[in-house]
Amino acid sequence: MNSRERFQAACRNGKVDRPPVWLMRQAGRTLPEYRELRANHSFWDVCRTPELAAEVTMQPLRRFPIDAAIIFSDILVVPDAMGMNIEFTPAPVIDQTIETMEDVKALKRPDVEKALGYVAGALKEVRSQLGSERALIGFAGAPYTLACYMVDGMGKKGFVKTRGMMYSHPELMHALMDKVTDVLIDYLTMQVESGIDAFQVFDSWGGDLPPDQFEAFALPYVARIMERLKGKGAASIYYVNGIGNVLELASQAGSDVLGVDWRISMEDVRRRLPGRVVQGNLDPTALYGNPEDIGNRVHRILDATGGQGHILNLGHGLNPSTPIEGIDAFVRSVSTWKKSS
Ligand code: 1CP
């Protein structure tokens, strides 16, 4: 079984020789070769030049025996393509945020092949470099998480404007989410046609919502995306940061795989959603510990799922200062795990 077969089988709860492994934010600031490349190219240049994006995507695969590549890009390329001007400093900055219905109406529904064709170009380049050995993952931000940036601007603690708008102007929030969702469906369809094996929808701030607001504003739009992408040839992963609060609701979005953050134990996830295919969920800061401790923690997570219907990953993205040895210990511990019968 090669990496791609293993990854594809796990997404569909099939039999695997061992669970597949990859890491959120595996391409990027943790790697010295990434920082070296970024010294000569801006973040936008890397994203918009398929050869550079493909190079950065491949960097972690040369270092670690991971089963999948995730395309180097950002969730904010979508609001950019809709006409909002996004700068990376390196944290994202958005000057003109969404405040009125006129602002929502002014957002473009871009032709994704034109506005985001550089992502398709990068995916095709990576696919040709990977061949059929390893899996390729595309991604997009979830509508709610994108709305957080579009309404609040640069990553604000708590995203108070966005959350406030849901209570003060629910129709405005729904109009925004509706428009973003249409673009995301076009965008992910283009990614599927460019050769991905799976796409991940990142709801990085979805876990901040109380369950009723999650159900009313976040869930229906993600469910629409999953429904429209079903059967097109790629598996779907729905990652919610802070999912413990809304685990059963998030599961209803209909993704093939549910991405779980580190705040909840895998034992608890299995109890609450038996048989559900899951991805996760080691605390990213556990990688600052010693290799033996990392291995034990990974094995405990694998014991909880029995290695079945499980893609091993962190509970959120790698921190830039993570020691390389910690990443290495994490990846290798999936091969030293023995299923207890
Ligand atoms: O050059 C740089 O170092 C700029 C920093 C950077 C990087 C490396 C940004 C700005 N984005 C990225 C790449 C990126 N972003 C990837 C590909 C790398 C990989 O995973 O291997 C991915 C999947 C993302 C997705 C992303 N961007 C998310 C969702 C994932 C998550 O961590 O929850 C979010 C919330 C963003 C917004 C964003 N873009 C960049 C930063 C620093 C942020 C976070 C801002 C904030 O905290 O609000």
Side-chain angles (χ1 to χ4, degrees):
M1 184 166 243
N2 70 25
S3 285
R4 191 183 191 193
E5 293 161 348
R6 181 179 298 123
F7 181 86
Q8 288 178 341
C11 287
R12 301 193 154 90
N13 211 0
K15 255 193 131 38
V16 288
D17 53 350
R18 65 159 173 82
V21 58
W22 67 282
L23 301 94
M24 288 189 266
R25 298 252 179 170
Q26 64 192 25
R29 285 178 291 177
T30 317
L31 300 182
E33 55 271 35
Y34 171 78
R35 292 195 295 267
E36 213 169 283
L37 187 138
R38 278 277 282 106
N40 299 313
H41 302 278
S42 72
F43 181 73
W44 266 127
D45 277 350
V46 180
C47 288
R48 289 182 174 142
T49 312
E51 296 71 32
L52 293 177
E55 166 58 23
V56 173
T57 301
M58 295 299 291
Q59 284 174 346
L61 279 80
R62 296 190 193 114
R63 266 186 191 267
F64 312 111
I66 42 183
D67 294 296
I70 180 162
I71 192 67
F72 188 82
S73 185
D74 197 86
I75 62 168
L76 297 171
V77 300
V78 166
D80 185 74
M82 294 178 79
M84 299 184 84
N85 188 28
I86 315 279
E87 301 289 342
F88 290 97
T89 64
V93 181
I94 306 172
D95 288 335
Q96 282 167 312
T97 53
I98 303 292
E99 289 181 352
T100 64
M101 198 59 96
E102 281 61 49
D103 294 339
V104 174
K105 288 192 178 129
L107 286 170
K108 285 187 269 192
R109 166 126 189 224
D111 173 344
V112 293
E113 302 278 346
K114 286 205 183 101
L116 293 160
Y118 58 88
V119 178
L123 286 167
K124 288 175 190 159
E125 177 58 31
V126 175
R127 172 50 76 204
S128 82
Q129 294 187 28
L130 288 176
S132 58
E133 284 298 306
R134 296 210 241 189
L136 175 57
I137 304 170
F139 72 90
Y144 172 67
T145 286
L146 288 177
C148 284
Y149 290 96
M150 295 169 88
V151 173
D152 265 86
M154 187 174 137
K156 295 260 166 60
K157 256 212 154 93
F159 295 100
V160 171
K161 264 173 83 182
T162 312
R163 282 169 44 220
M165 188 187 279
M166 293 166 136
Y167 296 97
S168 65
H169 296 88
E171 68 299 337
L172 177 54
M173 182 56 75
H174 279 300
L176 173 61
M177 302 282 282
D178 188 56
K179 202 156 183 179
V180 171
T181 299
D182 284 341
V183 179
L184 288 170
I185 290 167
D186 292 348
Y187 179 48
L188 288 168
T189 301
M190 180 185 78
Q191 294 191 27
V192 174
E193 288 164 357
S194 305
I196 57 171
D197 297 292
F199 62 86
Q200 175 155 319
V201 172
F202 282 94
D203 222 342
S204 305
W205 312 119
D208 289 348
L209 295 174
D212 60 337
Q213 292 292 83
F214 180 86
E215 188 170 15
F217 289 93
L219 183 60
Y221 298 98
V222 177
R224 194 160 107 207
I225 293 171
M226 297 304 168
E227 178 62 35
R228 292 286 302 278
L229 270 292
K230 225 178 197 55
K232 294 208 172 184
S236 54
I237 307 168
Y238 181 33
Y239 167 78
V240 183
N241 186 21
I243 199 169
N245 219 17
V246 291
L247 188 70
E248 291 79 4
L249 284 172
S251 181
Q252 289 170 22
S255 62
D256 296 306
V257 182
L258 206 53
V260 176
D261 70 285
W262 76 91
R263 297 173 187 86
I264 179 171
S265 75
M266 221 24 130
E267 287 87 353
D268 202 11
V269 172
R270 272 289 187 255
R271 252 193 313 274
R272 287 165 62 182
L273 293 177
R276 192 73 168 84
V277 183
V278 291
Q279 173 178 278
N281 75 335
L282 186 69
D283 181 350
T285 58
L287 303 193
Y288 294 81
N290 70 58
E292 197 190 332
D293 181 65
I294 294 168
N296 291 338
R297 288 176 192 280
V298 168
H299 291 179
R300 181 172 165 193
I301 293 170
L302 293 170
D303 285 342
T305 62
Q308 176 67 36
H310 181 199
I311 300 168
L312 180 65
N313 205 314
L314 302 173
H316 199 185
L318 275 174
N319 294 294
S321 63
T322 309
I324 302 284
E325 307 76 63
I327 303 175
D328 211 47
F330 173 75
V331 173
R332 290 180 192 282
S333 54
V334 77
S335 304
T336 54
W337 175 71
K338 298 250 177 339
K339 190 174 181 155
S340 56
S341 43

